[in-house]
Amino acid sequence: MPDALAATYDAFPYESRAFADTHPDRLATVATLFGISPASLAQARILELGCGMGGNLVPIGVAYPHARLVGVDLSTRQISAARDFAAQVGVANVEFKAMSLTEIDASFGTFDYIIAHGIYSWIPDDVKRQLLRVCRDTLAPAGVAFVSYNTYPGWLSKRVIRDMMLFRARGTADPAQQVRLGREMVQWVLSSTTEPNQPYIRKLNDESQTLKKSDDSYLFHEYLEIDNDPLYYREFVDRVAGADLKVFADARYRIMSQAQPEVVRNALAAAGENLVEREQYLDFLKDRVFRRSLLCRNDLPATERANPDAVRGLRVATLVKPVNPQADAAGAARVEFANSDGNVRVNTDIPALNAMLLILADLHPRCVPFPELADMVQTRLTRNSSSNEEPVSIDRALLASKTLDCYGSAIVELYTDEDAFRVELSDSPRASPVAVALADAPSIPNLRHQLYAPSAFDRLVLKQLDGARDRGAIVERLIQAVEAGKFPLQQGGSPITDPHSIRDILSRSLEPSLKRLASAMLMIA
Ligand SMILES: C[S@@+](CC[C@H](N)C(=O)[O-])C[C@H]1O[C@@H](n2cnc3c(N)ncnc32)[C@H](O)[C@@H]1O
């Protein structure tokens, strides 16, 4: 069976990209919140199972040149592409192995972080057991493993789509043809129904909107792959326990019961204090389709809930900005903050929290160690208090607890490690080699492993940022690109051909472009 599975990935490679949820810093951060002391990232040993073409592992290797990284995948074609990508980027500390994870033995040594993204649900049951066996045998004592998987109840309705696609494509060997037939089948049901308002059809219609946006590779491996076995969270926890490991948290802390709004937390009271019970109740409530569980050794003490005090050992960056840029944290005035999409809003009259978010907004996108941040908050509030008031002394425990709430509400991010990106650029600006190599890719992982899609002009600039050119030399290269017709400059729909105008426009456009690339966290010097 592994041969058949390898053949589907050889025939239809899975788009390989970075997943911020799998980044070892995320694993270390959540582990810290749950009472584990994870290994520092600089020299960590990291294993990725089912690493595909290295899109996730290579950027991590670049960020941590002294770490040791190993990627394993069954598909020789994908591993060959992964090696090419590593060579193109010039990363020497990532080793890629074309083999089945079932063959991983003691010769691999142990790992501080193991990543298994998008593989557990897509492999046969015996390989699933082996995946957990590998985690148990190769996790270092304080190691953390990330395992994601498809879950019920959310997958119950998606399962119908998989079944109808498999039914229509049965007997067809070519994956591309299977995808075409699968898409046709869903459309056939939707266009043939006489009851468009039936709940089944409405749900199918919703799912079909997502399918329209999905590329063929994703659709094939999600819906037409040989194996895709969703399961309930509770069942996964039991299997993990059977392998002498335990699930201690989700890599997305904000989906956990503890991070829910008060009304949901109250509703979950029926589930009691047990983590697994609460999380399973929540999956039923939210119709959840996917989970990203964090595992550790069974004997490692981890807390049932995130500890607010652990925030004191972490770094904080904001995801929101004040709606009114003139806002100040003086007194008890309410300040409203929102993220760039406007879908996360916070409105608080807690002076220390307001001051913290305003300080972080000024420093955006940088992160600040919590103790330093608390000092900055103290200084700002003392400065803002009028001379006849007692100087305020902030409650650091309360601020840490509010910061954890903000992490659960996607208002701040938490990290263990310092920023790998630079906001102030050198005379010869340098982008991450991954970003330069992927300048033409649909989306580019930044130094926080988040995906970013620059404008066409910023992509052209990005290609020049290998650190070997100063701004003057970069402008010359941009001019050459425009003159060679690689980047058409236009005004009012007509091409600009006057050399002085071209030079002038490109010279003026460079600095704003560098600023955008820096604030997108793509620059290292
Ligand atoms: C759905 S893809 C996910 C790839 C990547 N981790 C991601 O999330 O984008 C599953 C990957 O697991 C690999 N795989 C399947 N069975 C495997 C096995 N027994 N050992 C190692 N890799 C395996 C496949 O070749 C494929 O690259």
Side-chain angles (χ1 to χ4, degrees):
M1 192 51 86
D3 289 347
L5 195 56
T8 70
Y9 285 98
D10 282 347
F12 224 139
Y14 198 74
E15 189 212 347
S16 188
R17 62 181 186 85
F19 296 95
D21 296 307
T22 72
H23 194 286
D25 196 313
R26 171 71 65 82
L27 277 49
T29 297
V30 179
T32 304
L33 290 174
F34 283 82
I36 294 171
S37 301
S40 90
L41 302 177
Q43 306 203 322
R45 295 153 300 169
I46 302 165
L47 170 67
E48 182 166 15
L49 304 171
C51 64
M53 295 185 281
N56 196 43
L57 205 54
V58 167
I60 299 172
V62 170
Y64 300 102
H66 303 295
R68 179 184 146 241
L69 294 86
V70 180
V72 170
D73 200 284
L74 196 56
S75 157
T76 45
R77 181 171 164 194
Q78 294 193 93
I79 285 293
S80 163
R83 289 185 184 134
D84 290 348
F85 181 34
Q88 184 190 6
V89 167
V91 62
N93 57 335
V94 191
E95 191 184 354
F96 286 107
K97 292 174 181 280
M99 60 183 281
S100 174
L101 65 88
T102 56
E103 289 153 29
I104 294 177
D105 58 22
S107 67
F108 271 66
T110 57
F111 295 92
D112 304 303
Y113 300 98
I114 298 179
I115 302 166
H117 184 275
I119 173 164
Y120 187 83
S121 300
W122 294 268
I123 47 181
D125 286 348
D126 56 327
V127 186
K128 287 188 179 72
R129 278 190 290 277
Q130 287 288 326
L131 187 148
L132 295 179
R133 192 269 309 160
V134 170
C135 292
R136 183 195 58 216
D137 289 355
T138 66
L139 260 191
V144 181
F146 170 109
V147 182
S148 63
Y149 47 95
N150 288 336
T151 52
Y152 292 130
W155 253 91
L156 285 170
S157 47
K158 287 164 91 71
R159 178 84 196 235
V160 178
I161 295 180
R162 173 167 159 82
D163 289 346
M164 71 174 70
M165 286 187 175
L166 285 171
F167 166 75
R168 179 70 181 90
R170 74 194 188 285
T172 305
D174 174 33
Q177 173 80 341
Q178 289 182 29
V179 169
R180 198 179 57 70
L181 293 172
R183 286 190 192 275
E184 265 178 29
M185 182 67 196
V186 176
Q187 283 317 310
W188 177 83
V189 174
L190 288 175
S191 58
S192 309
T193 184
T194 53
E195 294 168 274
N197 287 325
Q198 214 193 11
Y200 165 63
I201 296 294
R202 285 220 304 268
K203 186 94 184 159
L204 194 60
N205 199 21
D206 287 350
E207 293 286 348
S208 81
Q209 302 307 320
T210 314
L211 291 180
K212 278 184 192 151
K213 290 184 229 138
S214 308
D215 62 46
D216 285 357
S217 166
Y218 169 82
L219 190 141
F220 177 79
H221 294 296
E222 192 76 343
Y223 291 95
L224 291 154
E225 190 51 88
I226 299 167
D227 294 287
N228 182 349
D229 306 316
L231 77 175
Y232 283 101
Y233 170 73
R234 191 46 295 139
E235 292 175 272
F236 181 73
V237 170
D238 286 347
R239 290 186 193 178
V240 169
D244 208 18
L245 294 161
K246 68 181 169 200
V247 174
F248 69 88
D250 197 281
R252 280 195 189 176
Y253 171 69
R254 64 175 171 270
I255 76 140
M256 295 188 70
S257 47
Q258 186 185 348
Q260 298 306 303
E262 199 177 345
V263 57
V264 179
R265 285 205 311 270
N266 289 343
L268 287 171
E273 274 304 295
N274 181 282
L275 173 87
V276 180
E277 289 286 304
R278 279 187 283 131
E279 294 302 310
Q280 182 59 73
Y281 265 82
L282 198 55
D283 280 10
F284 281 119
L285 188 67
K286 302 266 180 185
D287 194 25
R288 199 158 272 155
V289 294
F290 194 64
R291 267 194 176 266
R292 303 161 183 85
S293 288
L294 297 184
L295 283 51
C296 66
R297 283 163 61 149
N298 209 9
D299 55 4
L300 193 66
T303 52
E304 282 275 312
R305 289 176 173 266
N307 175 7
D309 258 357
V311 171
R312 293 171 178 237
L314 296 170
R315 293 161 191 269
V316 193
T318 185
L319 296 170
V320 295
K321 290 188 171 171
V323 173
N324 170 8
Q326 315 303 327
D328 203 354
R334 279 199 165 268
V335 183
E336 189 179 16
F337 297 85
N339 71 354
S340 55
D341 299 336
N343 56 8
V344 173
R345 288 184 172 267
V346 54
N347 184 330
T348 123
D349 60 359
I350 302 171
L353 184 57
N354 283 335
M356 183 181 92
L357 293 175
L358 289 169
I359 289 165
L360 290 173
D362 283 345
L363 294 172
H364 183 80
R366 282 167 285 192
C367 65
V368 183
F370 181 85
E372 204 177 298
L373 185 59
D375 289 348
M376 292 161 90
V377 168
Q378 178 70 73
T379 307
R380 185 155 180 159
L381 291 184
T382 306
R383 194 188 65 208
N384 283 355
S385 61
S386 59
S387 50
N388 53 1
E389 279 175 42
E390 282 288 302
V392 267
S393 183
I394 64 162
D395 180 341
R396 287 170 193 243
L398 179 69
L399 187 60
S401 164
K402 293 288 169 200
T403 304
L404 179 62
D405 291 346
C406 287
Y407 184 54
S409 313
I411 292 162
V412 301
E413 269 299 350
L414 296 175
Y415 299 99
T416 62
D417 206 12
E418 61 192 26
D419 296 326
F421 58 85
R422 291 288 165 270
V423 178
E424 278 90 30
L425 302 182
S426 72
D427 292 343
S428 299
R430 183 161 179 227
S432 124
V434 172
V436 178
L438 296 179
D440 288 323
S443 55
I444 302 172
N446 69 13
L447 287 137
R448 285 209 176 125
H449 229 48
Q450 304 150 338
L451 297 178
Y452 177 71
S455 67
F457 181 68
D458 290 351
R459 288 172 189 274
L460 181 66
V461 172
L462 198 50
K463 288 179 198 166
Q464 324 307 327
L465 303 182
D466 59 3
R469 297 180 189 89
D470 63 14
R471 286 165 170 72
I474 294 170
V475 170
E476 294 310 320
R477 297 269 300 199
L478 297 177
I479 292 170
Q480 283 166 19
V482 170
E483 287 175 350
K486 290 184 188 150
F487 185 81
L489 270 189
Q490 295 193 334
Q491 200 164 37
S494 316
I496 300 173
T497 50
D498 170 44
H500 293 293
S501 303
I502 292 177
R503 178 174 293 276
D504 182 49
I505 292 170
L506 293 175
S507 303
R508 279 188 290 112
S509 307
L510 178 59
E511 208 54 44
S513 170
L514 290 173
K515 281 214 169 68
R516 283 191 294 275
L517 294 171
S519 59
M521 299 170 263
L522 291 165
M523 303 297 297
I524 53 175

